[in-house]
């Protein structure tokens, strides 16, 4: 697994926003990009509801903000009432597709099998999967977190056959940390879970650019701590980024934290200079 250099920051709007609200958000975001107030080291993404994908695509065109769907059906276009296909969301502007979010797993019965089919369908349609994995509160209490995470990651990748995504995003989102009922996690609560996810990806996806994100009650007060305290390539946010100013505020906090993190990590040149000076 190869970790890309830039840092992801994105939001799913979940089941919120009329078309007018989606347009207003996109216009605010576009204005911020055009004013140069989005830190360039961040890769922003927004996952609107399917109803506003195309209009948000039009309004964010040329801004560099990536667009994604919150879900899509794994099958080819055809007689599946109420669903939208991978190719339909791609046509509407998505380059990412979220798969296996906790709310879909718990409220809508999305299983590891369905996640596997969706990941394979996304990859064959040229979409970047954003796969969500996470343990429930009960699984955590029973000490099952590592097994659950490793098996969710392996299941998600199990139907790829020989094909590999050109890029993959995996968000570790413990169910107990998500939403208004969720308990915001401290870095120490979730560091091991993130490490398990990375190890499982390393086993299966050597050489594929893969980013591991953290999500679950990320907000202005904890984003910097999570970033500096965790080995993460991005943050995935719900409520705190449901307004454009909310997302932009987080973007600035993340950019500051990223600079701090880089200051603390010695560059390879510095490491070799130290080794040369002190060869032991
Ligand atoms: P939240 O949602 O930030 O509102 O907890 C996170 C998510 O579901 O990805």
């Amino acid at each position: 697994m190869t970790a890309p250099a830039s840092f992801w920051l994105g939001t799913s709007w979940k089941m919120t926003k009329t078309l007018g609200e989606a347009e207003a958000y996109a216009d605010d975001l576009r204005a911020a990009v055009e004013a140069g107030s989005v830190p360039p080291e961040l890769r922003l993404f927004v996952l609107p509801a399917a109803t506003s994908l195309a209009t948000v695509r039009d309004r964010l065109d040329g801004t560099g903000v990536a667009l994604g769907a919150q879900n899509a059906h794994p099958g080819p276009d055809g007689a599946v009432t109420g669903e939208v296909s991978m190719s339909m969301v791609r046509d509407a502007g998505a380059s990412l597709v979220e798969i296996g979010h906790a709310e879909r797993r718990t409220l809508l019965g999305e299983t590891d099998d369905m996640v596997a089919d969706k990941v394979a369908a996304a990859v064959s349609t040229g979409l970047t999967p954003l796969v969500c994995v996470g343990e429930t509160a009960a699984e955590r209490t029973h000490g099952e977190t590592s097994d659950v995470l490793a098996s969710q990651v392996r299941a998600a990748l199990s139907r790829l056959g020989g094909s590999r995504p050109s890029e993959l995003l995996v968000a570790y989102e413990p169910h107990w940390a998500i939403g208004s009922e969720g308990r915001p996690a401290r870095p120490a609560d979730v560091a091991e879970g993130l490490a398990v996810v990375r190890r499982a990806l390393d086993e299966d996806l050597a050489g594929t650019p893969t980013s591991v994100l953290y999500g679950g009650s990320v907000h202005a007060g904890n984003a910097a701590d999570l970033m500096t305290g965790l080995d993460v390539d991005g943050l995935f946010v719900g409520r705190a980024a449901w307004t454009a100013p909310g997302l932009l505020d987080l973007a600035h906090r993340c950019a500051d934290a990223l600079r701090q993190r880089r200051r603390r990590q010695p560059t390879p040149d510095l490491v070799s200079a130290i080794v040369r000076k002190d060869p032991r």
Side-chain angles (χ1 to χ4, degrees), residues 207-218:
T208 299
T210 304
S211 300
V212 180
L213 283 58
Y214 176 74
S217 292
V218 174

Side-chain angles (χ1 to χ4, degrees), residues 10-12 14 98 101-103 132 171 173 177-182 214-219 236-242:
T11 178
S12 163
K14 304 194 182 182
E98 185 180 2
H101 186 270
E103 284 145 16
C132 300
E173 301 204 311
I178 292 175
S180 51
E181 310 278 293
Y214 176 74
S217 292
V218 174
H219 56 76
F236 187 25
V237 190
R239 292 154 298 151
W242 281 355

Side-chain angles (χ1 to χ4, degrees), residues 6 20 25 37 49-50 54 66 92 96 124 128 147 179 181 199 204 207 223-224 247 264 272 279:
S6 50
Y25 187 120
S37 62
L96 305 168
S124 67
T128 297
D147 288 347
E181 310 278 293
R199 277 199 297 275
D204 284 14
L247 177 65
R264 278 201 271 123
S272 48

